[in-house]
Amino acid sequence: MAITEAVENYLETILILSKEQPDVHAIDICSYLGYSRPTVSIVLKKMKENGLVLVDGDNHITLTEKGRDVAEHIYDRHNVLSELFMLLGVSRDNAVEDACKIEHDLSDETYSVLKSYYFRLRNNNGGKND
């Protein structure tokens, strides 16, 4: 299974949900992403077969080390890009939405440069978004 944008979104969702609640189930993913239960079940099965998630006897979903690495990578991109856009004056809603659109497609080189710029800008701005 290739790590597609869709798979990254699922992994990121599981990571976010696991930070917000003690157990993650397929229905939680359905609610968060707005997808049907059959669609989520198919993708979860493939992610389990590819070592990205574990599903225990109570249907609790957890990320494997491999899945967590991917999820944290994309989640970091999402947060840094959202914050950078807001520092540049973009509204929160648009910044978050736009970050979701591009977080998967940026090269590592471009992301690294943007991340460095974000930290320089944030440090020079005192962490405040004027």
Side-chain angles (χ1 to χ4, degrees):
M1 167 183 252
I3 306 293
T4 63
E5 180 177 334
V7 170
E8 287 176 343
N9 281 333
Y10 275 89
L11 294 171
E12 182 182 23
T13 296
I14 295 166
L15 178 68
I16 290 167
L17 290 171
S18 70
K19 292 173 184 277
E20 297 174 352
Q21 59 195 52
D23 299 312
V24 177
H25 295 89
I27 193 67
D28 301 319
I29 298 167
C30 294
S31 296
Y32 191 90
L33 293 173
Y35 297 158
S36 71
R37 179 66 189 254
T39 299
V40 170
S41 294
I42 290 167
V43 175
L44 282 173
K45 181 179 180 201
K46 289 179 183 176
M47 291 191 326
K48 183 178 173 186
E49 290 169 356
N50 286 275
L52 297 170
V53 297
L54 299 171
V55 182
D56 70 14
D58 293 324
N59 292 316
H60 298 151
I61 301 163
T62 56
L63 298 167
T64 63
E65 185 176 339
K66 179 179 173 183
R68 180 168 293 282
D69 288 346
V70 173
E72 288 177 349
H73 175 78
I74 203 68
Y75 187 63
D76 177 67
R77 282 177 169 235
H78 175 85
N79 289 329
V80 168
L81 292 169
S82 296
E83 292 294 326
L84 172 61
F85 296 157
M86 286 186 283
L87 277 174
L88 294 171
V90 177
S91 70
R92 179 171 200 67
D93 288 345
N94 283 334
V96 170
E97 185 177 328
D98 289 344
C100 285
K101 291 175 187 174
I102 66 170
E103 64 195 14
H104 308 277
D105 296 324
L106 284 176
S107 69
D108 288 339
E109 176 188 9
T110 300
Y111 175 69
S112 178
V113 170
L114 286 172
K115 187 174 182 178
S116 294
Y117 179 74
Y118 161 69
F119 283 114
R120 284 194 312 272
L121 185 63
R122 187 182 74 178
N123 291 337
N124 289 337
N125 196 24
K128 296 179 183 174
N129 186 6
D130 296 357

Short mmCIF file of all heavy atoms in Angstrom, two decimals, residues 72-129:
data_model
loop_
_atom_site.label_atom_id
_atom_site.label_comp_id
_atom_site.label_asym_id
_atom_site.label_seq_id
_atom_site.Cartn_x
_atom_site.Cartn_y
_atom_site.Cartn_z
N GLU A 72 2.74 11.73 12.47
CA GLU A 72 3.41 12.88 13.10
C GLU A 72 4.07 13.78 12.06
O GLU A 72 4.08 15.00 12.21
CB GLU A 72 4.41 12.40 14.14
CG GLU A 72 3.71 11.85 15.37
CD GLU A 72 4.66 11.30 16.42
OE1 GLU A 72 5.86 11.13 16.13
OE2 GLU A 72 4.17 11.02 17.53
N HIS A 73 4.60 13.18 11.01
CA HIS A 73 5.21 13.96 9.92
C HIS A 73 4.17 14.88 9.27
O HIS A 73 4.41 16.08 9.11
CB HIS A 73 5.81 13.00 8.89
CG HIS A 73 6.36 13.66 7.68
ND1 HIS A 73 7.58 14.30 7.67
CD2 HIS A 73 5.86 13.78 6.43
CE1 HIS A 73 7.80 14.80 6.46
NE2 HIS A 73 6.78 14.49 5.69
N ILE A 74 3.02 14.34 8.94
CA ILE A 74 2.00 15.14 8.26
C ILE A 74 1.34 16.13 9.22
O ILE A 74 1.01 17.25 8.85
CB ILE A 74 0.97 14.23 7.52
CG1 ILE A 74 0.30 15.01 6.39
CG2 ILE A 74 -0.05 13.65 8.44
CD1 ILE A 74 1.21 15.35 5.25
N TYR A 75 1.19 15.72 10.48
CA TYR A 75 0.60 16.60 11.49
C TYR A 75 1.51 17.80 11.76
O TYR A 75 1.04 18.93 11.90
CB TYR A 75 0.36 15.80 12.77
CG TYR A 75 -0.40 16.52 13.85
CD1 TYR A 75 -1.71 16.96 13.65
CD2 TYR A 75 0.19 16.75 15.09
CE1 TYR A 75 -2.41 17.61 14.65
CE2 TYR A 75 -0.51 17.40 16.10
CZ TYR A 75 -1.81 17.83 15.88
OH TYR A 75 -2.50 18.47 16.87
N ASP A 76 2.82 17.57 11.78
CA ASP A 76 3.78 18.65 11.94
C ASP A 76 3.67 19.63 10.77
O ASP A 76 3.62 20.84 10.96
CB ASP A 76 5.20 18.10 12.03
CG ASP A 76 6.25 19.20 12.12
OD1 ASP A 76 6.27 19.92 13.14
OD2 ASP A 76 7.05 19.35 11.15
N ARG A 77 3.60 19.09 9.57
CA ARG A 77 3.46 19.95 8.39
C ARG A 77 2.19 20.79 8.49
O ARG A 77 2.20 21.99 8.22
CB ARG A 77 3.39 19.11 7.11
CG ARG A 77 4.73 18.60 6.66
CD ARG A 77 4.58 17.70 5.44
NE ARG A 77 5.88 17.44 4.86
CZ ARG A 77 6.20 17.69 3.60
NH1 ARG A 77 5.31 18.15 2.75
NH2 ARG A 77 7.41 17.45 3.17
N HIS A 78 1.10 20.15 8.86
CA HIS A 78 -0.19 20.85 8.98
C HIS A 78 -0.09 22.01 9.98
O HIS A 78 -0.50 23.13 9.67
CB HIS A 78 -1.28 19.87 9.42
CG HIS A 78 -2.59 20.54 9.66
ND1 HIS A 78 -3.48 20.78 8.65
CD2 HIS A 78 -3.14 21.04 10.78
CE1 HIS A 78 -4.54 21.39 9.14
NE2 HIS A 78 -4.35 21.56 10.44
N ASN A 79 0.47 21.73 11.14
CA ASN A 79 0.56 22.77 12.18
C ASN A 79 1.48 23.91 11.78
O ASN A 79 1.12 25.08 11.95
CB ASN A 79 1.01 22.15 13.50
CG ASN A 79 -0.07 21.29 14.12
OD1 ASN A 79 -1.26 21.55 13.95
ND2 ASN A 79 0.34 20.26 14.82
N VAL A 80 2.64 23.59 11.26
CA VAL A 80 3.60 24.64 10.88
C VAL A 80 3.03 25.49 9.75
O VAL A 80 3.09 26.73 9.81
CB VAL A 80 4.96 24.03 10.48
CG1 VAL A 80 5.85 25.07 9.81
CG2 VAL A 80 5.65 23.45 11.71
N LEU A 81 2.46 24.85 8.74
CA LEU A 81 1.90 25.62 7.62
C LEU A 81 0.74 26.49 8.07
O LEU A 81 0.64 27.67 7.69
CB LEU A 81 1.47 24.68 6.49
CG LEU A 81 2.62 23.98 5.76
CD1 LEU A 81 2.08 22.89 4.85
CD2 LEU A 81 3.46 24.97 4.98
N SER A 82 -0.15 25.95 8.90
CA SER A 82 -1.28 26.74 9.41
C SER A 82 -0.77 27.97 10.17
O SER A 82 -1.25 29.09 9.95
CB SER A 82 -2.15 25.90 10.35
OG SER A 82 -2.76 24.85 9.68
N GLU A 83 0.19 27.74 11.06
CA GLU A 83 0.73 28.84 11.86
C GLU A 83 1.46 29.87 11.00
O GLU A 83 1.33 31.07 11.22
CB GLU A 83 1.66 28.30 12.95
CG GLU A 83 0.95 27.49 14.02
CD GLU A 83 0.00 28.31 14.87
OE1 GLU A 83 0.29 29.51 15.12
OE2 GLU A 83 -1.03 27.76 15.28
N LEU A 84 2.20 29.40 10.01
CA LEU A 84 2.89 30.31 9.11
C LEU A 84 1.89 31.19 8.37
O LEU A 84 2.04 32.41 8.31
CB LEU A 84 3.75 29.54 8.10
CG LEU A 84 4.39 30.37 6.97
CD1 LEU A 84 5.33 31.43 7.54
CD2 LEU A 84 5.11 29.47 6.00
N PHE A 85 0.85 30.57 7.83
CA PHE A 85 -0.16 31.34 7.10
C PHE A 85 -0.82 32.38 8.01
O PHE A 85 -1.07 33.52 7.60
CB PHE A 85 -1.21 30.43 6.49
CG PHE A 85 -0.67 29.48 5.44
CD1 PHE A 85 -1.34 28.31 5.14
CD2 PHE A 85 0.50 29.75 4.75
CE1 PHE A 85 -0.86 27.43 4.17
CE2 PHE A 85 0.99 28.88 3.79
CZ PHE A 85 0.31 27.73 3.50
N MET A 86 -1.10 32.01 9.26
CA MET A 86 -1.71 32.97 10.18
C MET A 86 -0.75 34.11 10.51
O MET A 86 -1.18 35.26 10.59
CB MET A 86 -2.20 32.26 11.44
CG MET A 86 -3.45 31.43 11.19
SD MET A 86 -4.17 30.70 12.67
CE MET A 86 -3.05 29.34 12.96
N LEU A 87 0.53 33.79 10.68
CA LEU A 87 1.51 34.85 10.92
C LEU A 87 1.59 35.82 9.74
O LEU A 87 1.88 37.01 9.92
CB LEU A 87 2.90 34.27 11.18
CG LEU A 87 3.19 33.81 12.60
CD1 LEU A 87 4.55 33.13 12.68
CD2 LEU A 87 3.13 34.98 13.58
N LEU A 88 1.32 35.30 8.55
CA LEU A 88 1.34 36.14 7.35
C LEU A 88 0.05 36.94 7.18
O LEU A 88 -0.05 37.76 6.28
CB LEU A 88 1.59 35.28 6.11
CG LEU A 88 2.97 34.62 6.04
CD1 LEU A 88 3.03 33.63 4.89
CD2 LEU A 88 4.06 35.68 5.90
N GLY A 89 -0.94 36.68 8.06
CA GLY A 89 -2.18 37.45 8.03
C GLY A 89 -3.40 36.72 7.50
O GLY A 89 -4.47 37.32 7.37
N VAL A 90 -3.27 35.45 7.20
CA VAL A 90 -4.42 34.67 6.72
C VAL A 90 -5.31 34.33 7.90
O VAL A 90 -4.82 34.02 9.00
CB VAL A 90 -3.93 33.37 6.02
CG1 VAL A 90 -5.08 32.51 5.57
CG2 VAL A 90 -3.01 33.72 4.85
N SER A 91 -6.62 34.38 7.71
CA SER A 91 -7.54 34.02 8.78
C SER A 91 -7.33 32.57 9.20
O SER A 91 -6.86 31.75 8.41
CB SER A 91 -8.99 34.21 8.33
OG SER A 91 -9.34 33.23 7.36
N ARG A 92 -7.66 32.26 10.44
CA ARG A 92 -7.45 30.91 10.98
C ARG A 92 -8.13 29.85 10.12
O ARG A 92 -7.52 28.85 9.77
CB ARG A 92 -7.94 30.83 12.42
CG ARG A 92 -7.76 29.43 13.02
CD ARG A 92 -8.06 29.43 14.52
NE ARG A 92 -7.50 28.30 15.20
CZ ARG A 92 -6.22 28.04 15.38
NH1 ARG A 92 -5.30 28.84 14.90
NH2 ARG A 92 -5.82 26.98 16.04
N ASP A 93 -9.40 30.06 9.78
CA ASP A 93 -10.14 29.07 8.99
C ASP A 93 -9.47 28.81 7.65
O ASP A 93 -9.29 27.66 7.24
CB ASP A 93 -11.59 29.50 8.78
CG ASP A 93 -12.43 29.40 10.05
OD1 ASP A 93 -11.99 28.74 11.02
OD2 ASP A 93 -13.53 29.97 10.07
N ASN A 94 -9.10 29.87 6.96
CA ASN A 94 -8.45 29.71 5.66
C ASN A 94 -7.05 29.11 5.80
O ASN A 94 -6.64 28.29 4.97
CB ASN A 94 -8.39 31.03 4.90
CG ASN A 94 -9.72 31.40 4.28
OD1 ASN A 94 -10.54 30.55 3.98
ND2 ASN A 94 -9.95 32.69 4.11
N ALA A 95 -6.34 29.51 6.83
CA ALA A 95 -4.99 28.98 7.04
C ALA A 95 -5.03 27.46 7.26
O ALA A 95 -4.25 26.72 6.66
CB ALA A 95 -4.33 29.66 8.24
N VAL A 96 -5.95 27.01 8.08
CA VAL A 96 -6.08 25.57 8.36
C VAL A 96 -6.52 24.82 7.11
O VAL A 96 -5.98 23.77 6.77
CB VAL A 96 -7.06 25.34 9.53
CG1 VAL A 96 -7.41 23.87 9.68
CG2 VAL A 96 -6.47 25.88 10.83
N GLU A 97 -7.49 25.38 6.40
CA GLU A 97 -7.99 24.73 5.18
C GLU A 97 -6.90 24.66 4.10
O GLU A 97 -6.71 23.62 3.47
CB GLU A 97 -9.20 25.50 4.64
CG GLU A 97 -9.85 24.85 3.46
CD GLU A 97 -11.09 25.61 2.99
OE1 GLU A 97 -11.79 26.20 3.83
OE2 GLU A 97 -11.35 25.61 1.77
N ASP A 98 -6.18 25.75 3.92
CA ASP A 98 -5.12 25.76 2.91
C ASP A 98 -3.97 24.83 3.28
O ASP A 98 -3.40 24.17 2.41
CB ASP A 98 -4.61 27.19 2.68
CG ASP A 98 -5.63 28.06 1.96
OD1 ASP A 98 -6.59 27.51 1.37
OD2 ASP A 98 -5.48 29.29 2.00
N ALA A 99 -3.63 24.78 4.57
CA ALA A 99 -2.58 23.86 5.01
C ALA A 99 -2.97 22.42 4.69
O ALA A 99 -2.13 21.64 4.24
CB ALA A 99 -2.32 24.04 6.51
N CYS A 100 -4.24 22.08 4.89
CA CYS A 100 -4.72 20.73 4.57
C CYS A 100 -4.54 20.41 3.08
O CYS A 100 -4.23 19.28 2.72
CB CYS A 100 -6.19 20.57 4.92
SG CYS A 100 -6.51 20.40 6.67
N LYS A 101 -4.71 21.41 2.26
CA LYS A 101 -4.62 21.20 0.82
C LYS A 101 -3.18 20.96 0.35
O LYS A 101 -2.96 20.21 -0.60
CB LYS A 101 -5.18 22.41 0.07
CG LYS A 101 -6.67 22.58 0.22
CD LYS A 101 -7.12 23.86 -0.45
CE LYS A 101 -8.57 24.16 -0.19
NZ LYS A 101 -8.95 25.47 -0.72
N ILE A 102 -2.21 21.59 1.00
CA ILE A 102 -0.85 21.51 0.47
C ILE A 102 0.12 20.69 1.31
O ILE A 102 1.21 20.37 0.85
CB ILE A 102 -0.26 22.92 0.23
CG1 ILE A 102 -0.06 23.66 1.54
CG2 ILE A 102 -1.09 23.70 -0.74
CD1 ILE A 102 0.73 24.94 1.37
N GLU A 103 -0.27 20.31 2.52
CA GLU A 103 0.65 19.62 3.41
C GLU A 103 1.18 18.30 2.83
O GLU A 103 2.27 17.86 3.17
CB GLU A 103 0.02 19.36 4.78
CG GLU A 103 -1.18 18.45 4.75
CD GLU A 103 -2.02 18.48 6.01
OE1 GLU A 103 -1.86 19.39 6.83
OE2 GLU A 103 -2.85 17.59 6.17
N HIS A 104 0.41 17.69 1.96
CA HIS A 104 0.78 16.39 1.39
C HIS A 104 1.68 16.52 0.16
O HIS A 104 2.37 15.57 -0.18
CB HIS A 104 -0.48 15.62 0.99
CG HIS A 104 -1.48 15.52 2.09
ND1 HIS A 104 -1.40 14.58 3.08
CD2 HIS A 104 -2.58 16.27 2.36
CE1 HIS A 104 -2.42 14.75 3.92
NE2 HIS A 104 -3.13 15.76 3.50
N ASP A 105 1.63 17.66 -0.50
CA ASP A 105 2.25 17.79 -1.81
C ASP A 105 3.58 18.53 -1.84
O ASP A 105 4.27 18.49 -2.85
CB ASP A 105 1.28 18.49 -2.78
CG ASP A 105 0.03 17.66 -3.02
OD1 ASP A 105 0.15 16.42 -3.08
OD2 ASP A 105 -1.06 18.24 -3.15
N LEU A 106 3.93 19.19 -0.74
CA LEU A 106 5.20 19.92 -0.73
C LEU A 106 6.38 18.96 -0.68
O LEU A 106 6.34 17.96 0.03
CB LEU A 106 5.27 20.81 0.51
CG LEU A 106 4.47 22.10 0.50
CD1 LEU A 106 4.61 22.78 1.85
CD2 LEU A 106 4.91 23.02 -0.60
N SER A 107 7.43 19.31 -1.40
CA SER A 107 8.66 18.52 -1.30
C SER A 107 9.26 18.75 0.08
O SER A 107 8.98 19.76 0.75
CB SER A 107 9.66 18.96 -2.37
OG SER A 107 10.13 20.27 -2.08
N ASP A 108 10.10 17.83 0.51
CA ASP A 108 10.77 17.99 1.80
C ASP A 108 11.63 19.24 1.80
O ASP A 108 11.71 19.94 2.81
CB ASP A 108 11.63 16.76 2.10
CG ASP A 108 10.79 15.54 2.47
OD1 ASP A 108 9.62 15.70 2.87
OD2 ASP A 108 11.32 14.42 2.35
N GLU A 109 12.25 19.53 0.66
CA GLU A 109 13.09 20.73 0.57
C GLU A 109 12.26 22.00 0.79
O GLU A 109 12.63 22.86 1.60
CB GLU A 109 13.79 20.80 -0.78
CG GLU A 109 14.60 22.06 -0.97
CD GLU A 109 15.16 22.24 -2.37
OE1 GLU A 109 14.78 21.47 -3.28
OE2 GLU A 109 15.97 23.15 -2.55
N THR A 110 11.16 22.13 0.08
CA THR A 110 10.32 23.32 0.20
C THR A 110 9.76 23.43 1.61
O THR A 110 9.76 24.52 2.21
CB THR A 110 9.18 23.30 -0.83
OG1 THR A 110 9.75 23.26 -2.14
CG2 THR A 110 8.27 24.50 -0.71
N TYR A 111 9.30 22.31 2.16
CA TYR A 111 8.76 22.34 3.52
C TYR A 111 9.84 22.77 4.52
O TYR A 111 9.58 23.59 5.40
CB TYR A 111 8.18 20.99 3.92
CG TYR A 111 7.74 21.00 5.35
CD1 TYR A 111 6.65 21.78 5.75
CD2 TYR A 111 8.45 20.32 6.32
CE1 TYR A 111 6.28 21.85 7.08
CE2 TYR A 111 8.09 20.39 7.65
CZ TYR A 111 7.00 21.15 8.03
OH TYR A 111 6.64 21.23 9.35
N SER A 112 11.04 22.27 4.38
CA SER A 112 12.12 22.61 5.29
C SER A 112 12.41 24.11 5.26
O SER A 112 12.60 24.74 6.31
CB SER A 112 13.37 21.82 4.92
OG SER A 112 14.44 22.15 5.75
N VAL A 113 12.42 24.69 4.07
CA VAL A 113 12.66 26.13 3.94
C VAL A 113 11.51 26.91 4.56
O VAL A 113 11.73 27.89 5.30
CB VAL A 113 12.87 26.52 2.46
CG1 VAL A 113 12.88 28.02 2.28
CG2 VAL A 113 14.15 25.90 1.93
N LEU A 114 10.27 26.50 4.30
CA LEU A 114 9.12 27.18 4.88
C LEU A 114 9.12 27.08 6.40
O LEU A 114 8.80 28.04 7.10
CB LEU A 114 7.82 26.61 4.32
CG LEU A 114 7.47 27.01 2.89
CD1 LEU A 114 6.26 26.23 2.40
CD2 LEU A 114 7.23 28.50 2.77
N LYS A 115 9.48 25.91 6.91
CA LYS A 115 9.52 25.71 8.37
C LYS A 115 10.57 26.62 9.00
O LYS A 115 10.32 27.25 10.02
CB LYS A 115 9.80 24.25 8.68
CG LYS A 115 9.69 23.91 10.15
CD LYS A 115 9.83 22.41 10.38
CE LYS A 115 9.69 22.07 11.84
NZ LYS A 115 9.78 20.61 12.07
N SER A 116 11.74 26.70 8.38
CA SER A 116 12.79 27.60 8.89
C SER A 116 12.32 29.04 8.87
O SER A 116 12.53 29.79 9.83
CB SER A 116 14.07 27.46 8.06
OG SER A 116 14.62 26.19 8.22
N TYR A 117 11.67 29.43 7.79
CA TYR A 117 11.15 30.79 7.67
C TYR A 117 10.10 31.05 8.76
O TYR A 117 10.09 32.11 9.38
CB TYR A 117 10.56 31.02 6.28
CG TYR A 117 9.99 32.39 6.11
CD1 TYR A 117 10.81 33.51 5.99
CD2 TYR A 117 8.61 32.59 6.09
CE1 TYR A 117 10.28 34.78 5.85
CE2 TYR A 117 8.07 33.86 5.96
CZ TYR A 117 8.92 34.95 5.84
OH TYR A 117 8.39 36.20 5.72
N TYR A 118 9.22 30.08 8.96
CA TYR A 118 8.19 30.20 10.00
C TYR A 118 8.82 30.47 11.36
O TYR A 118 8.41 31.38 12.07
CB TYR A 118 7.32 28.94 10.05
CG TYR A 118 6.56 28.79 11.33
CD1 TYR A 118 5.51 29.66 11.65
CD2 TYR A 118 6.89 27.80 12.25
CE1 TYR A 118 4.82 29.53 12.84
CE2 TYR A 118 6.19 27.67 13.44
CZ TYR A 118 5.17 28.54 13.73
OH TYR A 118 4.48 28.42 14.92
N PHE A 119 9.84 29.69 11.73
CA PHE A 119 10.46 29.88 13.05
C PHE A 119 11.16 31.22 13.15
O PHE A 119 11.09 31.87 14.20
CB PHE A 119 11.40 28.72 13.38
CG PHE A 119 10.66 27.48 13.81
CD1 PHE A 119 10.69 26.34 13.04
CD2 PHE A 119 9.89 27.47 14.97
CE1 PHE A 119 10.00 25.20 13.43
CE2 PHE A 119 9.19 26.35 15.38
CZ PHE A 119 9.25 25.21 14.60
N ARG A 120 11.81 31.67 12.09
CA ARG A 120 12.44 33.00 12.11
C ARG A 120 11.38 34.09 12.25
O ARG A 120 11.53 35.01 13.06
CB ARG A 120 13.26 33.24 10.83
CG ARG A 120 14.58 32.52 10.80
CD ARG A 120 15.52 33.04 9.71
NE ARG A 120 14.92 33.19 8.40
CZ ARG A 120 14.84 32.23 7.48
NH1 ARG A 120 15.33 31.03 7.72
NH2 ARG A 120 14.28 32.46 6.31
N LEU A 121 10.31 33.97 11.49
CA LEU A 121 9.23 34.95 11.54
C LEU A 121 8.57 34.96 12.92
O LEU A 121 8.33 36.03 13.50
CB LEU A 121 8.19 34.65 10.45
CG LEU A 121 7.04 35.63 10.27
CD1 LEU A 121 7.57 37.00 9.85
CD2 LEU A 121 6.09 35.11 9.20
N ARG A 122 8.31 33.79 13.45
CA ARG A 122 7.67 33.69 14.76
C ARG A 122 8.56 34.28 15.84
O ARG A 122 8.08 35.02 16.72
CB ARG A 122 7.37 32.22 15.08
CG ARG A 122 6.55 32.06 16.37
CD ARG A 122 6.31 30.64 16.69
NE ARG A 122 7.57 30.10 17.19
CZ ARG A 122 7.74 28.87 17.60
NH1 ARG A 122 6.75 28.03 17.55
NH2 ARG A 122 8.91 28.45 18.06
N ASN A 123 9.85 33.99 15.79
CA ASN A 123 10.76 34.52 16.80
C ASN A 123 10.90 36.03 16.69
O ASN A 123 11.00 36.72 17.70
CB ASN A 123 12.12 33.84 16.69
CG ASN A 123 12.07 32.39 17.12
OD1 ASN A 123 11.17 31.98 17.86
ND2 ASN A 123 13.00 31.60 16.63
N ASN A 124 10.90 36.56 15.48
CA ASN A 124 11.00 38.02 15.28
C ASN A 124 9.71 38.73 15.66
O ASN A 124 9.71 39.89 15.99
CB ASN A 124 11.37 38.34 13.84
CG ASN A 124 12.79 37.98 13.52
OD1 ASN A 124 13.63 37.88 14.40
ND2 ASN A 124 13.08 37.76 12.25
N ASN A 125 8.61 38.00 15.57
CA ASN A 125 7.28 38.57 15.85
C ASN A 125 6.91 38.35 17.31
O ASN A 125 5.81 38.71 17.72
CB ASN A 125 6.25 37.92 14.92
CG ASN A 125 4.95 38.69 14.84
OD1 ASN A 125 4.92 39.88 15.10
ND2 ASN A 125 3.89 38.00 14.52
N GLY A 126 7.78 37.73 18.09
CA GLY A 126 7.48 37.48 19.48
C GLY A 126 6.38 36.46 19.68
O GLY A 126 5.76 36.39 20.73
N GLY A 127 6.09 35.66 18.62
CA GLY A 127 5.05 34.65 18.74
C GLY A 127 3.65 35.20 18.63
O GLY A 127 2.68 34.50 18.86
N LYS A 128 3.55 36.50 18.31
CA LYS A 128 2.21 37.11 18.23
C LYS A 128 1.82 37.32 16.78
O LYS A 128 2.62 37.69 15.95
CB LYS A 128 2.21 38.45 18.96
CG LYS A 128 2.47 38.29 20.43
CD LYS A 128 2.48 39.62 21.12
CE LYS A 128 2.81 39.42 22.59
NZ LYS A 128 2.98 40.67 23.28
N ASN A 129 0.56 37.10 16.52
CA ASN A 129 0.00 37.32 15.19
C ASN A 129 -0.76 38.63 15.21
O ASN A 129 -1.84 38.72 15.74
CB ASN A 129 -0.93 36.16 14.79
CG ASN A 129 -1.40 36.27 13.38
OD1 ASN A 129 -0.96 37.14 12.65
ND2 ASN A 129 -2.29 35.40 12.99
#
